[in-house]
């Protein structure tokens, strides 16, 4: 068995897929999650897929006493830190909740890690920290700026990690900036399970396809893009999960500390909203009714990654196509029309 890893937010969408990838790569994992946006059922399914129970602790990253107990009970090689709130619109309505959860929670986690001398972290950041990019594809040295509290909370944590690395050269702080994660595990057993009407494009499309929602609103058809609709770098969640394994492998190879290391996880290719709708419709055999609506406030025209750094440093590259992203999403959605809820 390889090193033991603490996975905060491991019951969530990206975390659950990463737990499976970590297990397959031989890591021993402990999941710490307050289940604010996930469920015991997700943990059960992960355990079923890997064929053994996963150690799960229900707890909040802002609860330092609870975290200290976890660190006292286990000898961790490092932490993968997914736990956080992620809805942009909600963050505008409830900024304090977002800064408290995402920023204060991360500070508490870092304090406990310091106390227990665990100084390797893989942090879930986002392409949102690049704001409206000046050039495409976006590389890691691009200017950062955010317009909403969710994005700001990621940017603030990045600054905290940079300062931490300066203050103490023992830290290894890999910051993975995800582009647009979509798709689901190929078994159809785990996937993205939004609580309400989805904000993101792929779960919205799949809920229209399965008949839960009547039609998709496409926000803007007058962008300077291939067909006027927004362009994004969609990346299969399984590829993203492998990116975390690659980051840990990289940490294991280091003889000296890395400091703060930001790395994009994207495919390097942009796909338009209309192209994704067409691909999903072909894969599922379902009609996806849509109408064009006004641009959504805060949206940008195009966003896609330069994934060169992940390739050169981590030896990681996304492998799965848009068709596979749609196939796996459709399998998950049609097998679980109510997500993890068995109603
Ligand atoms: P998710 O909501 O499915 O998973 C997050 C998990 O963290 C959930 O299980 C939730 O219960 C848990 N959690 C939240 N606050 C917590 C707290 N205070 N203490 C303990 N657990 C807590 O989200 P996801 O899509 O899997 O995203 C994982 C991470 O990646 C988040 O930090 C998110 O901001 C970031 N990210 C996501 C996307 C995306 O599009 N999904 C894109 C870029 C970055
Ligand atoms: N989008 C859309 N209709 C929706 C949700 C999203 O047209 O119901 C568009 C959105 O305007 C953007 C793209 O799909 O151009 C991706 O949006 P998403 O919210 O999935 O991710 P973002 O890139 O905003 O993080």
């Amino acid at each position: 068995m390889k090193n033991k890893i603490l996975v905060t937010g491991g019951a969530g969408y990206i975390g659950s897929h990463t737990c499976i990838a970590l297990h397959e790569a031989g890591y021993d994992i402990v999941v710490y999650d307050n289940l604010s946006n996930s469920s015991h059922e997700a943990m059960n399914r992960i355990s079923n897929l890997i064929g053994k129970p996963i150690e799960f602790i229900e707890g909040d990253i802002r609860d330092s006493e609870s975290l200290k107990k976890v660190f006292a009970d286990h000898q961790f090689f490092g932490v993968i830190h997914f736990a956080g709130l992620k809805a942009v619109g909600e963050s505008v309505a409830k900024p304090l909740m977002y800064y408290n959860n995402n920023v204060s929670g991360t500070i508490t986690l870092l304090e406990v890690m310091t106390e227990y001398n665990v100084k390797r972290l893989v942090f879930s950041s986002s392409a949102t920290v690049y704001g409206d990019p000046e050039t495409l594809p976006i590389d890691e040295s691009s200017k950062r700026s955010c317009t909403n509290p969710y994005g700001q909370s990621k940017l603030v944590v990045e600054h905290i990690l940079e300062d931490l690395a300066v203050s103490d050269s023992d830290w290894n702080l890999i910051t993975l900036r995800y582009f647009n994660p979509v798709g689901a595990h190929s078994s159809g057993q785990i996937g993205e399970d939004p609580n309400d009407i989805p904000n993101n494009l792929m779960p919205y499309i799949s809920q229209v396809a399965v008949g839960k929602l009547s039609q998709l609103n496409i926000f803007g058809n007058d962008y300077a893009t291939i067909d006027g609709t927004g362009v994004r770098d969609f990346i299969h969640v399984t590829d993203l999960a492998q990116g975390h394994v690659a980051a840990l492998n990289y940490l294991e190879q280091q003889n000296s500390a890395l400091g703060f290391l930001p790395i994009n996880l994207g495919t390097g290719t942009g796909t338009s909203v209309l192209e994704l709708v067409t691909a999903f419709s072909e894969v599922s055999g379902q009609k996806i009714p849509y109408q064009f609506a006004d641009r959504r406030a805060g949206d940008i025209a195009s966003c896609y990654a330069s994934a060169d750094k992940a390739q050169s440093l981590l030896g990681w590259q996304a492998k799965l196509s848009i068709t596979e992203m749609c196939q796996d999403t459709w399998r998950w959605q049609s097998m679980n029309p109510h997500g993890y809820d068995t109603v």
Side-chain angles (χ1 to χ4, degrees):
M1 187 60 79
K2 275 204 206 168
N3 287 312
K4 192 181 272 194
I5 308 296
L6 178 67
V7 185
T8 75
Y13 172 46
I14 304 169
S16 55
H17 292 81
T18 304
C19 285
I20 291 172
L22 291 173
H23 170 78
E24 286 169 351
Y27 287 98
D28 192 7
I29 52 180
V30 175
V31 170
Y32 186 88
D33 198 305
N34 67 1
L35 300 182
S36 58
N37 197 35
S38 50
S39 62
H40 284 291
E41 178 59 13
M43 289 309 305
N44 293 340
R45 294 199 187 183
I46 303 169
S47 295
N48 287 341
L49 283 169
I50 69 175
K52 72 172 189 102
I54 288 193
E55 179 156 359
F56 172 72
I57 295 142
E58 187 168 343
D60 195 296
I61 50 166
R62 291 163 296 181
D63 181 347
S64 62
E65 291 314 311
S66 165
L67 272 180
K68 282 180 192 172
K69 185 166 180 337
V70 178
F71 278 79
D73 288 347
H74 300 273
Q75 188 67 50
F76 293 117
F77 172 77
V79 177
I80 303 188
H81 177 34
F82 293 109
L85 301 175
K86 63 169 182 177
V88 173
E90 187 184 50
S91 80
V92 175
K94 298 175 180 173
L96 297 181
M97 186 168 106
Y98 271 67
Y99 287 117
N100 183 282
N101 203 79
N102 295 2
V103 180
S104 302
T106 303
I107 292 174
T108 302
L109 173 67
L110 291 167
E111 285 171 343
V112 175
M113 289 175 71
T114 307
E115 191 175 327
Y116 286 85
N117 201 30
V118 177
K119 294 191 174 174
R120 296 183 193 90
L121 180 81
V122 179
F123 171 62
S124 299
S125 189
S126 166
T128 194
V129 300
Y130 296 119
D132 197 351
E134 282 165 2
T135 50
L136 291 166
I138 307 170
D139 73 27
E140 289 81 354
S141 62
S142 303
K143 210 176 76 205
R144 288 172 290 170
S145 74
C146 289
T147 51
N148 60 71
Y150 165 70
Q152 288 288 6
S153 75
K154 292 291 172 192
L155 195 45
V156 170
V157 170
E158 287 205 4
H159 289 313
I160 291 170
L161 299 181
E162 285 172 277
D163 290 342
L164 189 60
V166 170
S167 75
D168 175 351
S169 58
D170 286 344
W171 280 95
N172 290 275
L173 300 158
I174 297 189
T175 290
L176 298 178
R177 295 179 181 148
Y178 312 149
F179 278 67
N180 287 61
V182 296
H185 191 260
S186 57
S187 64
Q189 289 300 307
I190 59 170
E192 188 170 11
D193 184 18
N195 272 335
D196 285 316
I197 295 177
N199 297 308
N200 295 114
L201 180 62
M202 185 64 117
Y204 205 108
I205 292 176
S206 67
Q207 292 198 13
V208 172
V210 85
K212 278 179 84 177
L213 296 169
S214 57
Q215 73 170 351
L216 171 72
N217 287 311
I218 295 184
F219 301 135
N221 63 345
D222 56 354
Y223 287 110
T225 60
I226 179 172
D227 54 23
T229 66
V231 165
R232 296 291 182 273
D233 187 340
F234 299 100
I235 172 167
H236 198 297
V237 67
T238 300
D239 277 331
L240 204 62
Q242 290 301 337
H244 294 76
V245 174
L248 284 183
N249 287 341
Y250 187 65
L251 286 177
E252 286 188 353
Q253 290 158 18
Q254 301 309 308
N255 296 320
S256 54
L258 294 166
F260 174 77
L261 182 63
I263 302 180
N264 289 342
L265 291 185
T267 65
T269 304
T271 302
S272 77
V273 172
L274 264 181
E275 285 172 330
L276 191 70
V277 171
T278 305
F280 199 96
S281 185
E282 278 168 12
V283 158
S284 62
Q286 305 296 313
K287 203 167 148 34
I288 319 280
Y290 65 81
Q291 64 177 11
F292 291 116
D294 289 345
R295 291 181 178 191
R296 188 171 65 178
D299 271 0
I300 55 174
S302 298
C303 172
Y304 51 91
S306 158
D308 294 350
K309 193 171 175 187
Q311 161 97 65
S312 60
L313 282 188
L314 308 183
W316 171 92
Q317 190 176 13
K319 296 195 177 96
L320 299 169
S321 65
I322 288 285
T323 302
E324 288 162 303
M325 298 178 209
C326 294
Q327 279 168 339
D328 290 335
T329 304
W330 179 233
R331 188 177 303 106
W332 154 253
Q333 181 70 74
S334 44
M335 284 170 67
N336 307 272
H338 304 287
Y340 290 115
D341 203 337
T342 47
V343 174

